[in-house]
Amino acid sequence: GNYTCICPVDYMQVNGGHNCMDMRKSYCYRNFYSDNRTCDGELNFNMTKKMCCCSYNIGHAWNKPCEQCPVPNTDAFAVLCGSERPGYYIDITTGRVIDIDECREIPGVCENGVCINMIGSFRCECPVGFIYNDKLLICEDIDECQNGPVCQQNADCLNVPGSYRCECKSGYRFTPTGQCLDRNECIENPGICNPGQCIDFVGGYRCLCPNGYKTTRDQSMCVDVDECERQPCGNGTCKNTVGSYNCLCYPGFLNSHNSDCIDVDECSTQRGLCRNGQCVNTLGTFHCVCNDGYELALDGRLCADINECTVNPGTCGAGTCLNMDGTYRCICP
């Protein structure tokens, strides 16, 4: 003598289990195009089909892919909403037609403003600096900076929610009289170009840097030049210093007045080198060419006498070999 509906997921039993009410929440669209059955104007918040389609001036399509909402004053609209007029629905417990409180039921409506519910509809009141967007149902910020020049000369307009403010451009300062006048950065910040020179001009300044420094791309500072990047030392290791550099020269080289490493002529600067021979300078070093009867010592810096009597024991035959400096002689019997 009775029945109960077993409702699918996202549907709720109503009327004592005799009906199932769709509780699914999905996309709600402001516009539906019947010629190609497409939608646009997607709202930023999901809602049930009844709330999307039955509320006053909310949705014209629902779900994805979108389904057209029934048109007001039709049977299909009355079946979904319980009333032929938008802004109302049937209370499932009392069966009475009651007003939809769009302000409470639809999240995000009248964002940034005040939502005022009315019988069968609602309205948004936007604060100063905002304007109502009928497509998105929110109060949008007015960008006052787009409405022509609103700030004085030498100032930039900065839009903020509900208003705007004027800020002096870089290189200008705000005076008590409300003007943006040129700043003299060189006086305000005496060491701004240190160790260079500060040159002020209207709306800015630039730095003139000494040797060993360069300006930044915007010419607002002097920074050290890393001279070692161009490898100035040649035959040595470069060490960068603030404003300059030092060369640590390899053995056989020394620093020159041009701050590079040049060859040391050991043959000219070191007395007694290659004694008993000839000194030949080469890049970074030297070598000795020894005279006849001499050979290069182990340290490579001197020519030592060759003892021919020891090197060639039978040189004098039956006689006696007598070694001499650079030569020898035989003493015969």
Side-chain angles (χ1 to χ4, degrees), residues 313-326:
T315 297
C316 292
T320 302
C321 179
L322 180 63
N323 186 60
M324 302 174 64
D325 200 22

Side-chain angles (χ1 to χ4, degrees), residues 154 168-173 180-185 188 200-205:
N154 303 324
C168 293
K169 294 180 179 178
S170 177
Y172 294 85
R173 59 185 176 86
C180 289
L181 298 181
D182 175 54
R183 294 174 53 196
N184 190 326
E185 294 87 352
E188 292 179 8
D200 184 65
F201 59 84
V202 176
Y205 72 98

Side-chain angles (χ1 to χ4, degrees), residues 87-230:
Y88 300 89
Y89 71 100
I90 294 289
D91 188 319
I92 59 175
T93 58
T94 65
R96 294 170 52 198
V97 177
I98 60 174
D99 169 58
I100 296 176
D101 187 347
E102 290 86 356
C103 300
R104 186 185 65 185
E105 299 291 345
I106 303 176
V109 70
C110 297
E111 183 179 343
N112 301 319
V114 177
C115 181
I116 300 175
N117 187 59
M118 303 169 68
I119 301 300
S121 66
F122 73 97
R123 77 172 192 269
C124 291
E125 288 192 357
C126 297
V128 175
F130 290 83
I131 189 170
Y132 183 61
N133 184 324
D134 185 64
K135 293 182 178 180
L136 298 178
L137 306 177
I138 62 173
C139 293
E140 280 189 326
D141 174 52
I142 298 172
D143 188 351
E144 295 85 355
C145 298
Q146 299 298 320
N147 299 331
V150 294
C151 294
Q152 59 175 290
Q153 187 180 9
N154 303 324
D156 291 324
C157 180
L158 181 65
N159 186 60
V160 295
S163 185
Y164 72 96
R165 69 173 183 263
C166 296
E167 293 186 347
C168 293
K169 294 180 179 178
S170 177
Y172 294 85
R173 59 185 176 86
F174 193 73
T175 66
T177 58
Q179 294 177 292
C180 289
L181 298 181
D182 175 54
R183 294 174 53 196
N184 190 326
E185 294 87 352
C186 301
I187 295 177
E188 292 179 8
N189 303 293
I192 196 167
C193 289
N194 190 50
Q197 179 184 358
C198 181
I199 308 296
D200 184 65
F201 59 84
V202 176
Y205 72 98
R206 63 187 179 89
C207 295
L208 292 179
C209 302
N211 290 337
Y213 293 84
K214 64 181 179 180
T215 60
T216 53
R217 181 168 295 183
D218 60 0
Q219 298 188 325
S220 64
M221 292 176 61
C222 290
V223 295
D224 175 54
V225 174
D226 187 355
E227 294 87 354
C228 295
E229 289 181 353
R230 58 182 176 87

Side-chain angles (χ1 to χ4, degrees), residues 316-320 330-333:
C316 292
T320 302
C330 292
I331 301 174
C332 298

Side-chain angles (χ1 to χ4, degrees), residues 237-308:
T237 301
C238 182
K239 182 179 181 181
N240 187 58
T241 60
V242 177
S244 185
Y245 68 98
N246 293 322
C247 289
L248 305 176
C249 297
Y250 301 143
F253 296 88
L254 55 77
N255 280 297
S256 74
H257 63 279
N258 292 325
S259 297
D260 60 355
C261 293
I262 60 173
D263 176 53
V264 175
D265 187 349
E266 294 87 353
C267 298
S268 300
T269 59
Q270 299 185 31
R271 297 182 62 183
L273 201 61
C274 297
R275 189 174 60 210
N276 299 319
Q278 181 182 356
C279 181
V280 178
N281 186 61
T282 58
L283 191 64
T285 185
F286 70 96
H287 68 270
C288 297
V289 178
C290 296
N291 298 334
D292 291 342
Y294 294 88
E295 64 182 355
L296 194 63
L298 292 176
D299 61 4
R301 301 177 63 84
L302 297 172
C303 292
D305 173 55
I306 299 173
N307 189 336
E308 294 87 352

Side-chain angles (χ1 to χ4, degrees), residues 39-61:
C39 306
D40 65 13
E42 178 185 320
L43 296 179
N44 295 329
F45 30 84
N46 293 349
M47 61 189 77
T48 63
K49 183 176 183 179
K50 180 176 289 190
M51 201 56 61
C52 175
C53 299
C54 301
S55 299
Y56 172 78
N57 192 30
I58 297 293
H60 292 91

